[in-house]
Amino acid sequence: MFKRIYFWIDERLDIHDYIKKDVLDKPIPKGLNLSYCFGGITFFLFLMLASTGYFMAIYYVPSPLQAYDVVDYITYEVSLGYVIRGVHHWSANLMVVTIFLHMIRVYIYGAYKNPREINWITGVLLFCLVMAFGFTGYLLPWDQKAYWATKVGTSMMGTVPVVGEYALKILRGGTKLGALTLARFYAFHVIFLPITTVILLIGHFLMIRRQGISKPL
Amino acid sequence: MKTQPNTDKLEHSDETFYPSFLFKEIVVMMLIFILVAVILALVFPVGLEDPADPTDNLYIPKPEWYFMSLYQLLKYFPGKLEIIATAIIPSGGIIALLLLPFIDKNTEKRPTKRPVAMAVMFLAVGAIIFWTVVGILS
């Protein structure tokens, strides 16, 4: 059955040779240990975050008047809503750990060295995006914890000389933390960050395909 | 002038992406899925605190654990020195990471032969973990 569908697609797109040669039969170094999986796990968690995020976005309203009630509704009323939110929450936390471990692995094995400098840089940018995801996502439930953590976090930005004041205003959408802040954090969290992440991820993966996995030591 | 690209591409190897590595990845991903979706999400459900109250000045803010090290750092640089913790150290850290391949031009990859690089890493990771723990406990 699956084979027939696959052949049907292959007849039209002629992808079999490509998949066989460049993906499945791609030579990889011998003796890759489990630490080589951290990057893949991080990507997998990103997929879990995206798919649970879609479901929450169905209900979520980025307004101080409704955000809290909506998150409350997702958590306690929507069937399996607490699972969706739980998976999103825990995947996010775990993702910070796995991307950190992935970076440490790459560092220890010297895999960032020539010729993989560009891929290291896209990786660092992806790390920044993960932190930005965490920072913006934390505000969305609009509970006490979310509000005050974001208040402190954004005011730290305001201490930067010269540009700090402007950065703070851009971040908060004004001087105060309020409706505009929530709206822009939400837009950032569900539009800007995911699209940027996907673009960088495509680059990250294509470069691995092109250069191969760095040889273990 | 285009020089020969420096890649250590493997043209011949006994192992291929499928099945060896793909299999490993899929098993690990399934374990992660079970961990996150079944164990964590069901056993440790995520709650909600009270709705945000901007007038409540008694609330003690605590950032998420992955920002805790930065938050803790802030306490060591009071007043005018604040910018060291809020701007100089974090942005310096990210810039250092971005430039890492150009700072560390040593072609040696084995960690045992790169004592300086390893020392820097253990110091940085140690400091981050230390401040995170101190921040969470305080």
Side-chain angles (χ1 to χ4, degrees):
Chain A
M1 176 67 183
F2 285 117
K3 241 186 181 145
R4 277 184 56 194
I5 296 173
Y6 182 69
F7 286 138
W8 187 90
I9 296 171
D10 186 44
E11 241 171 60
R12 280 148 187 84
L13 300 177
D14 194 21
I15 50 169
H16 182 68
D17 286 345
Y18 170 75
I19 289 179
K20 183 127 181 71
K21 185 171 150 279
D22 287 340
V23 182
L24 298 179
D25 284 351
K26 178 96 181 169
I28 56 162
K30 276 191 215 172
L32 297 185
N33 56 38
L34 278 179
S35 73
Y36 280 83
C37 289
F38 289 133
I41 295 171
T42 309
F43 175 61
F44 179 67
L45 290 169
F46 176 71
L47 296 180
M48 299 242 279
L49 284 158
S51 44
T52 48
Y54 296 148
F55 286 108
M56 290 195 289
I58 291 172
Y59 293 99
Y60 189 76
V61 183
S63 138
L65 295 174
Q66 286 152 291
Y68 181 84
D69 291 338
V70 161
V71 176
D72 191 79
Y73 184 72
I74 293 172
T75 313
Y76 300 109
E77 303 287 332
V78 177
S79 58
L80 292 179
Y82 75 104
V83 177
I84 296 288
R85 185 163 169 242
V87 170
H88 199 81
H89 172 92
W90 287 112
S91 300
N93 279 278
L94 210 58
M95 194 190 205
V96 177
V97 177
T98 59
I99 197 168
F100 194 67
L101 292 173
H102 178 55
M103 287 175 89
I104 290 175
R105 197 278 294 170
V106 170
Y107 187 95
I108 290 176
Y109 287 133
Y112 57 86
K113 293 171 186 247
N114 186 332
R116 297 187 177 79
E117 300 96 326
I118 313 169
N119 219 5
W120 168 262
I121 291 169
T122 58
V124 174
L125 295 177
L126 281 164
F127 170 75
C128 296
L129 290 173
V130 167
M131 297 311 271
F133 264 122
F135 188 65
T136 51
Y138 204 61
L139 179 68
L140 303 184
W142 202 253
D143 59 357
Q144 285 281 69
K145 190 164 83 164
Y147 182 89
W148 292 102
T150 308
K151 179 129 182 161
V152 174
T154 48
S155 59
M156 278 169 75
M157 190 73 78
T159 63
V160 179
V162 192
V163 292
E165 210 175 306
Y166 295 101
L168 182 71
K169 271 188 191 163
I170 291 168
L171 213 58
R172 286 187 181 170
T175 47
K176 274 196 197 149
L177 176 54
L180 287 170
T181 322
L182 185 56
R184 72 185 48 195
F185 270 44
Y186 181 63
F188 218 66
H189 193 79
V190 303
I191 300 171
F192 178 85
L193 291 174
I195 292 175
T196 318
T197 303
V198 167
I199 292 170
L200 285 178
L201 273 177
I202 291 172
H204 205 66
F205 291 148
L206 286 179
M207 277 186 266
I208 300 170
R209 279 274 150 257
R210 187 106 182 112
Q211 301 181 310
I213 298 169
S214 178
K215 272 184 214 163
L217 312 157
Chain B
M1 185 179 71
K2 190 167 186 279
T3 52
Q4 194 65 27
N6 176 356
T7 55
D8 46 26
K9 239 192 260 180
L10 300 160
E11 296 304 336
H12 305 285
S13 169
D14 296 342
E15 290 191 37
T16 49
F17 182 67
Y18 170 86
S20 59
F21 195 61
L22 189 64
F23 178 72
K24 216 182 259 179
E25 286 259 37
I26 288 173
V27 170
V28 172
M29 282 172 186
M30 275 157 64
L31 290 175
I32 292 286
F33 182 79
I34 293 167
L35 173 72
V36 173
V38 182
I39 302 174
L40 291 175
L42 295 181
V43 180
F44 303 98
V46 186
L48 263 177
E49 289 191 356
D50 290 334
D53 178 8
T55 58
D56 179 6
N57 290 319
L58 294 172
Y59 190 87
I60 299 163
K62 251 195 168 181
E64 191 62 313
W65 65 267
Y66 42 83
F67 288 115
M68 197 51 102
S69 55
L70 272 182
Y71 188 60
Q72 183 61 26
L73 206 56
L74 197 63
K75 295 178 191 165
Y76 305 133
F77 297 101
K80 281 209 157 166
L81 293 175
E82 212 180 20
I83 59 158
I84 296 175
T86 57
I88 296 169
I89 292 179
S91 56
I94 293 297
I95 291 168
L97 280 176
L98 285 171
L99 296 179
L100 175 67
F102 311 104
I103 298 167
D104 175 16
K105 291 202 153 228
N106 180 2
T107 51
E108 177 62 59
K109 287 187 176 180
R110 278 164 295 184
T112 45
K113 300 277 176 66
R114 293 153 57 213
V116 180
M118 288 303 116
V120 170
M121 186 202 75
F122 281 114
L123 224 70
V125 172
I128 291 170
I129 294 174
F130 177 73
W131 287 324
T132 303
V133 172
V134 171
I136 289 171
L137 294 180
S138 67

